[in-house]
Amino acid sequence: MIKGINIFLLFMTVALTTFAGEEGTVVANINKGSPIPENNNVVMPVVTEKYEYYEVCGCCDKDLQCDLKQKCITWTDGKKYDSVTNWKVKWDYSHRRTAQACTADSFLATVDVVFHLPKWVKTDNAPQPLVEKWDRYLKKLIAHEKGHRDRAVDAATELMHAVAELPPSRTCAGLDREVNTLSRTRMNKLIEEQKEYDAATNHGIAQGAVFP
């Protein structure tokens, strides 16, 4: 019997500028080599990445900044941000029953990530120094945003290992309670980790994600 999927959703923000990379959705397994106990029965989470854009225009620093201020994203805190990343961790599993016990079988976590980013609509005669400045900033910005993604992937991976290491429960209902407790605990920790990451990096500013 397949259990219902548990879903946790969080939007994270970064306060600066821009992206002009590839569009569409990327599906991947990401393994960053986290220090997690080995378990041959556990696969890596499936990670889906999607990029969504709003367009900005300008032929100089000032024009780009003005357009960004007008079109950037207003967050729930009332502040405006040039980019926003949201992630969703979800999982499902089935029960493996015996006469004496119940264990989790085929536990699989997925991480869906959406990067909301500005995209500079460059003209053919865009000044090369401005293009280079934009590209340098872009790399720093994406590095920061992927830090949010990586933390969600790490949390999903740790959760999968933790569930795999659960001892057999006397009942499947008891097993479900243990899985739910583990899941809530790890997702709450992830929320704090994401906040701490933004605080430590000042939403990417400390990493050089500043335009111009």
Side-chain angles (χ1 to χ4, degrees):
M1 171 182 173
I2 301 296
K3 301 305 298 178
I5 294 175
N6 297 286
I7 299 176
F8 290 80
L9 177 64
L10 177 68
F11 292 88
M12 303 303 297
T13 59
V14 60
L16 296 164
T17 324
T18 33
F19 185 78
E22 63 177 324
E23 301 187 17
T25 299
V26 178
V27 180
N29 286 312
I30 298 176
N31 187 348
K32 294 171 61 270
S34 302
I36 300 171
E38 293 184 2
N39 188 318
N40 293 331
N41 295 322
V42 179
V43 297
M44 291 298 296
V46 175
V47 182
T48 300
E49 298 179 5
K50 183 178 180 181
Y51 295 87
E52 296 184 354
Y53 307 93
Y54 64 92
E55 295 182 346
V56 295
C57 300
C59 58
C60 65
D61 292 356
K62 184 177 179 181
D63 289 347
L64 277 173
Q65 285 181 313
C66 290
D67 210 31
L68 281 167
K69 287 181 180 179
Q70 291 180 354
K71 298 177 179 177
C72 62
I73 303 166
T74 301
W75 187 233
T76 55
D77 60 4
K79 297 179 181 180
K80 291 187 175 182
Y81 299 93
D82 288 353
S83 63
V84 174
T85 298
N86 68 279
W87 50 263
K88 178 170 59 178
V89 179
K90 57 186 178 182
W91 55 90
D92 63 15
Y93 62 97
S94 57
H95 291 148
R96 181 184 295 169
R97 295 184 179 90
T98 66
Q100 294 80 26
C102 183
T103 58
D105 188 34
S106 302
F107 188 94
L108 178 64
T110 62
V111 183
D112 296 328
V113 182
V114 182
F115 300 108
H116 303 269
L117 302 157
K119 183 176 183 178
W120 179 25
V121 182
K122 298 188 291 289
T123 60
D124 293 338
N125 60 348
Q128 187 60 30
L130 183 60
V131 172
E132 293 174 356
K133 185 182 299 184
W134 185 270
D135 290 344
R136 286 194 300 269
Y137 167 75
L138 168 63
K139 292 179 181 179
K140 301 290 186 179
L141 177 63
I142 296 302
H144 173 79
E145 294 295 350
K146 288 188 175 180
H148 285 300
R149 178 207 62 190
D150 291 346
R151 282 159 176 76
V153 174
D154 285 348
T157 304
E158 291 174 11
L159 176 60
M160 292 176 71
H161 280 271
V163 171
E165 293 168 2
L166 281 174
S169 178
R170 293 182 61 185
T171 66
C172 291
L175 173 69
D176 292 344
R177 286 192 293 270
E178 293 183 66
V179 172
N180 287 335
T181 297
L182 280 175
S183 302
R184 285 195 299 269
T185 299
R186 190 58 188 90
M187 291 303 104
N188 287 337
K189 180 183 177 185
L190 173 58
I191 291 172
E192 294 306 313
E193 289 171 349
Q194 298 282 26
K195 292 178 180 178
E196 291 168 2
Y197 174 60
D198 266 337
T201 63
N202 194 12
H203 295 276
I205 293 177
Q207 295 166 299
V210 181
F211 184 86

